[in-house]
């Protein structure tokens, strides 16, 4: 066989392989795969993870003697589930466990006032933003002569929710502060009221909700350098179909101005449901109980050690 014929055969084989690869690639591109969406359809249920201690976004309310979830994000979740044609299941958990739950398949979406930070984007994908919210610091009114600006909290004890954007905000803009990160906002409010922390970094709408029920607290003067944060929905990586569907719903919600309606509904639910102490008394009582227990243990341990030394 001549060299030219061998060359021709080799080129024919290469061309055939290229055609096969091209065909397979076209088929793959023409039909996107999305395991998360397929599982949701098969299950007929959309599992949404959130932390229901974050009024007005998500919180619990007594309705006809039954505890139900209400708030802005709850309304968004309901609308998404309805438009997807599936049932909604709310999975309530601590905020600092949400990303882990999404990555391990325990929930399908996170709708919990999440900001799509660069670090979070390494782990999950985010929808388009559906709200822009201001970042605030709150403090006790009696400290108004001590804190004239956000920067005055450098060197002081500042609280923030664990794994929240406010935690990163404090680290970046108040590097000399003593950061106290806790899992739940009611525990942070209690810490502020009892003097365990001097200030609490928190989102504006959430701050307003708590200030309304805690008249001894107020907004700190001044602003963070990073004033506003976008809010989006988190979902597992490689979920193109679910992403497209969620973004379509969010765009419709924003085009129709429904977020303002959801805010109004959440505000009414808060006012109708009594004080936050009644709503979140369990969290606050637990925090107070733990403080008392620690104090008792300290006293007993001191007495025992004193007796041994004597």
């Amino acid at each position: 066989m001549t060299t030219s014929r061998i060359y021709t055969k080799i080129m024919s084989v290469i061309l055939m392989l290229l055609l096969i690869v091209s065909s397979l690639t076209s088929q793959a591109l023409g039909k996107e795969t999305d395991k998360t969406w397929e599982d949701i359809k098969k299950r007929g249920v959309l599992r949404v993870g959130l932390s229901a201690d974050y009024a007005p976004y998500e919180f619990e309310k007594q309705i006809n003697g039954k505890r139900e979830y209400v708030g802005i994000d709850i309304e968004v979740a309901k609308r998404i589930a309805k438009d997807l044609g599936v049932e909604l299941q709310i999975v309530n958990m601590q905020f600092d466990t949400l990303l882990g739950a999404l990555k391990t398949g325990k929930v399908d979406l996170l709708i919990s006032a999440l900001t799509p930070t660069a670090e979070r984007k390494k782990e999950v994908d985010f929808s388009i933003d559906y709200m822009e919210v201001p970042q605030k610091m709150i403090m006790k009114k009696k400290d108004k002569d001590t804190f004239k600006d956000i920067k005055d909290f450098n060197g002081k004890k500042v609280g923030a929710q664990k794994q929240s954007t406010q935690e990163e905000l404090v680290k970046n803009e108040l590097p000399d502060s003593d950061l106290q990160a806790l899992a739940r906002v009611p525990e942070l409010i209690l810490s502020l009221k009892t003097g365990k922390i001097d200030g609490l970094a928190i989102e504006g709408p959430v701050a307003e909700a708590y200030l309304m029920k805690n008249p001894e607290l107020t907004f700190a003067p001044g602003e963070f350098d990073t004033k506003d944060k976008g809010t989006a929905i988190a979902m597992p990586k490689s979920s193109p179909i679910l992403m497209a569907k969620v973004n379509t719903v969010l765009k419709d919600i924003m085009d129709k101005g429904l977020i303002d309606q959801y805010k109004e509904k959440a505000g009414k639910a808060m006012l109708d449901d009594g004080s936050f102490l009644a709503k979140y008394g369990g969290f606050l009582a637990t925090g107070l109980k733990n403080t008392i227990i620690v104090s008792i243990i300290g006293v007993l341990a001191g007495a025992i050690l004193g007796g041994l030394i004597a």
Side-chain angles (χ1 to χ4, degrees):
M1 185 180 292
T2 64
T3 303
S4 61
R5 290 182 66 185
I6 294 174
Y7 176 78
T8 301
K9 284 184 175 292
I10 292 173
M11 290 304 297
S12 297
V13 171
I14 292 173
L15 181 59
M16 187 178 296
L17 289 173
L18 287 173
L19 288 172
I20 292 171
V21 170
S22 176
S23 175
L24 291 173
T25 302
S26 297
Q27 291 177 24
L29 290 174
K31 186 179 180 181
E32 287 183 310
T33 58
D34 186 335
K35 184 179 183 304
T36 305
W37 171 239
E38 291 301 322
D39 288 345
I40 292 169
K41 284 198 301 181
K42 187 182 300 182
R43 195 188 310 119
V45 175
L46 176 67
R47 302 169 305 171
V48 172
L50 50 78
S51 181
D53 64 338
Y54 211 55
Y57 294 101
E58 53 256 5
F59 56 102
E60 293 180 82
K61 173 182 170 64
Q62 289 282 351
I63 300 177
N64 298 323
K66 182 182 177 183
R67 295 189 73 80
E68 294 188 14
Y69 298 111
V70 294
I72 300 167
D73 284 342
I74 302 298
E75 295 301 317
V76 171
K78 286 178 179 178
R79 177 60 187 272
I80 291 173
K82 179 182 177 182
D83 284 12
L84 295 185
V86 294
E87 297 295 319
L88 174 64
Q89 178 186 348
I90 298 296
V91 183
N92 184 25
M93 60 187 76
Q94 290 191 169
F95 187 82
D96 58 347
T97 65
L98 288 174
L99 284 178
L102 182 64
K103 291 167 62 179
T104 54
K106 294 178 182 176
V107 294
D108 307 306
L109 296 176
L110 299 181
I111 309 181
S112 195
L114 282 170
T115 298
T117 63
E119 284 301 310
R120 287 173 178 167
K121 286 180 178 179
K122 294 176 183 177
E123 302 182 70
V124 298
D125 285 338
F126 282 93
S127 69
I128 58 175
D129 290 354
Y130 61 96
M131 275 194 295
E132 288 284 330
V133 292
Q135 305 303 301
K136 297 290 186 178
M137 180 80 80
I138 60 175
M139 64 180 197
K140 294 190 289 293
K141 283 182 179 178
K142 69 182 185 66
D143 292 336
K144 63 180 181 179
D145 293 330
T146 303
F147 301 106
K148 302 289 188 181
D149 188 78
I150 295 291
K151 301 301 180 187
D152 293 338
F153 286 92
N154 255 321
K156 302 296 183 179
K157 291 183 178 180
V158 177
Q161 191 172 31
K162 276 186 180 178
Q163 292 192 12
S164 67
T165 51
Q166 291 74 43
E167 183 179 15
E168 289 302 311
L169 195 62
V170 172
K171 289 178 181 177
N172 294 333
E173 297 196 20
L174 299 171
D176 297 326
S177 64
D178 181 5
L179 176 62
Q180 305 288 311
L182 298 176
R184 292 189 177 276
V185 174
E187 294 169 353
L188 288 162
I189 294 293
L190 178 63
S191 292
L192 180 59
K193 293 173 68 173
T194 55
K196 291 182 179 178
I197 57 177
D198 301 298
L200 171 58
I202 190 170
E203 288 191 350
V206 181
E208 289 171 359
Y210 281 96
L211 294 185
M212 185 170 57
K213 297 299 182 181
N214 294 278
E216 69 272 39
L217 304 180
T218 187
F219 284 113
E223 296 180 329
F224 284 104
D225 293 337
T226 306
K227 297 178 184 178
D228 299 317
K229 294 278 188 181
T231 300
I233 295 173
M235 62 196 74
K237 289 282 188 182
S238 302
S239 304
I241 298 175
L242 180 60
M243 174 73 77
K245 290 179 178 294
V246 168
N247 282 342
T248 297
V249 179
L250 290 179
K251 189 174 184 306
D252 188 54
I253 286 173
M254 291 185 288
D255 288 346
K256 292 178 178 177
L258 296 180
I259 291 295
D260 287 338
Q261 294 181 27
Y262 297 163
K263 288 179 181 178
E264 185 178 345
K265 187 174 181 179
K268 187 175 184 299
M270 288 161 52
L271 292 173
D272 288 348
D273 201 27
S275 71
F276 275 138
L277 184 59
K279 230 191 310 306
Y280 299 119
F283 296 127
L284 299 180
T286 299
L288 188 59
K289 179 179 68 177
N290 290 343
T291 300
I292 294 171
I293 290 173
V294 169
S295 299
I296 293 171
I297 291 173
V299 170
L300 290 174
I304 293 169
L305 286 173
L308 290 173
I309 293 171

